[in-house]
Amino acid sequence: MQLPLWPEAASAVATEIDYLYIYLTVVSVVMSVLIFGTIFVFCIKYRRRGDEIPEPIHGSLRLEITWSVIPFLVMLTFFWWGAKIYFLNATPPPNSMDVYAVGKQWMWKVQYPEGQREINELHVPIGRPVKITLASEDVIHSFFIPALRIKHDVVPGHYDTMWFTANKAGRYHLYCAEYCGTEHSGMVGWVTVMEPADYANWLAGGGSSGTMAQQGERLFEQLGCSSCHLLDRQGRCPSLRGVYGSRVQLSDGKTVQADDAYIRESILNPNAKVVSGYKPNVMPSFQGQITEEGILQLVIYIKSLGITNAPGAPTAAALAAPQNGGKQ
């Protein structure tokens, strides 16, 4: 039976992470051997013999500096190499493909902008950056794909993002790496990395309920949001057309970026950040009425309102001006 030292490397960054791990291990072993070997030799060579009294040693400044500076420089290489990999993976490329994953005891629920939905399965193409937006419906989880060398904690109450570029076709394990309850060990799944043509065929075979933007639009209507957030004229609450990605002026004089986290907060806690020109306590909280999957659909729908000809976006024009009261 063959037992590999580490999982198969299937992403662009996996090999470099492995090299860093090997480097850390080798340096740690070498320095440990040198330190304990020196201690052992000194214990034998300079052990006390009878009533022998050693001569006082005043030390050497040059020696002290040498054995302080050299280990410090070695440790700096750890920092430099680790920081390089960290910043390389901190920000996804602009052309990244979006995927949305929600952790729930004890499963991963995955959604694609095109409308496909999976449980404990993730399909991605080779050679294309993939950005995963992570959310949790209950407790802390951790999205871990060993073959891609990526792992990110998923904390309830806000969104986390991670990205990767798979470079080897295959089927790889997906785990939750944070203890999340009695059936934590069963929170496993698979990541299928496919050739671009195969992925396109797979993508074309799903999404019968419409795109995420279209699903979000239906939810927007069902919850009665359209009665206040009018898209083609003035309403009781701010218009959402074109708001995603913009700077929003608040009633306290501050400005915030209208990103995924801001929209999520506005849905669950409308009075946390009230838009300038509007009154608080107009929009009700939808806490407990919408799942994390539904919130993500609403976010994608609102995002689509600022994109021309986006799937699911209404065709009405004109940005409604602030008037009565509400929350964005």
Side-chain angles (χ1 to χ4, degrees):
M1 181 178 178
Q2 191 175 20
L3 296 174
L5 293 178
W6 44 72
E8 188 174 2
S11 70
V13 75
T15 302
E16 187 165 4
I17 292 177
D18 290 344
Y19 288 156
L20 174 59
Y21 178 80
I22 294 171
Y23 174 68
L24 288 169
T25 303
V26 170
V27 171
S28 299
V29 170
V30 170
M31 294 189 74
S32 297
V33 170
L34 287 175
I35 292 171
F36 286 98
T38 302
I39 292 174
F40 179 77
V41 170
F42 277 31
C43 286
I44 300 300
K45 184 175 181 180
Y46 298 105
R47 70 187 185 279
R48 184 171 181 175
R49 298 175 178 85
D51 296 331
E52 179 183 8
I53 300 177
E55 297 181 4
I57 298 176
H58 298 288
S60 168
L61 180 60
R62 181 177 299 177
L63 181 61
E64 294 280 354
I65 292 175
T66 300
W67 72 35
S68 297
V69 170
I70 291 179
F72 173 72
L73 294 177
V74 172
M75 299 305 165
L76 277 184
T77 62
F78 296 168
F79 170 79
W80 174 82
W81 198 344
K84 176 186 174 184
I85 295 177
Y86 172 81
F87 286 111
L88 180 66
N89 290 276
T91 306
N95 63 334
S96 297
M97 181 185 84
D98 285 310
V99 178
Y100 302 87
V102 176
K104 180 181 179 181
Q105 294 173 316
W106 288 272
M107 68 181 73
W108 294 106
K109 297 187 288 185
V110 179
Q111 296 185 90
Y112 301 81
E114 294 79 7
Q116 287 82 352
R117 304 176 72 174
E118 301 185 283
I119 293 180
N120 294 332
E121 291 279 349
L122 173 64
H123 288 75
V124 297
I126 290 179
R128 183 175 177 185
V130 178
K131 183 182 79 170
I132 303 180
T133 300
L134 301 163
S136 171
E137 285 193 8
D138 35 49
V139 299
I140 298 177
H141 300 282
S142 188
F143 196 86
F144 180 36
I145 308 174
L148 303 181
R149 307 298 191 270
I150 58 171
K151 183 173 82 70
H152 203 300
D153 288 349
V154 188
V155 181
H158 67 93
Y159 295 131
D160 297 281
T161 60
M162 62 190 301
W163 76 278
F164 63 88
T165 302
N167 59 7
K168 187 175 183 180
R171 189 167 166 83
Y172 308 105
H173 286 289
L174 165 64
Y175 298 106
C176 175
E178 183 73 31
Y179 181 73
C180 56
T182 55
E183 296 184 34
H184 161 72
S185 61
M187 193 169 171
V188 296
W190 293 95
V191 178
T192 303
V193 180
M194 313 170 73
E195 295 292 341
D198 295 333
Y199 178 76
N201 291 334
W202 173 85
L203 201 63
S208 59
S209 59
T211 66
M212 282 187 69
Q214 291 168 340
Q215 295 172 33
E217 182 181 11
R218 289 195 293 269
L219 188 57
F220 191 81
E221 296 291 338
Q222 292 170 9
L223 296 172
C225 305
S226 58
S227 62
C228 295
H229 293 283
L230 304 180
L231 300 173
D232 55 354
R233 61 184 186 276
Q234 296 179 1
R236 299 180 65 227
C237 300
S239 170
L240 302 178
R241 185 179 297 283
V243 71
Y244 188 91
S246 66
R247 300 295 301 182
V248 177
Q249 183 76 36
L250 303 180
S251 58
D252 60 3
K254 298 179 181 179
T255 61
V256 295
Q257 182 82 19
D259 55 9
D260 296 7
Y262 169 77
I263 295 174
R264 182 185 187 279
E265 182 183 43
S266 298
I267 295 170
L268 301 180
N269 186 13
N271 294 311
K273 295 182 177 69
V274 179
V275 177
S276 178
Y278 292 87
K279 297 178 182 179
N281 302 317
V282 173
M283 175 175 166
S285 170
F286 289 92
Q287 183 79 46
Q289 301 182 49
I290 314 177
T291 64
E292 287 292 342
E293 295 170 278
I295 294 174
L296 284 169
Q297 292 166 4
L298 287 172
V299 170
I300 298 306
Y301 168 63
I302 294 171
K303 183 177 181 180
S304 75
L305 297 178
I307 305 175
T308 304
N309 297 325
T315 57
L319 184 63
Q323 195 170 355
N324 301 323
K327 177 71 176 78
Q328 194 159 6

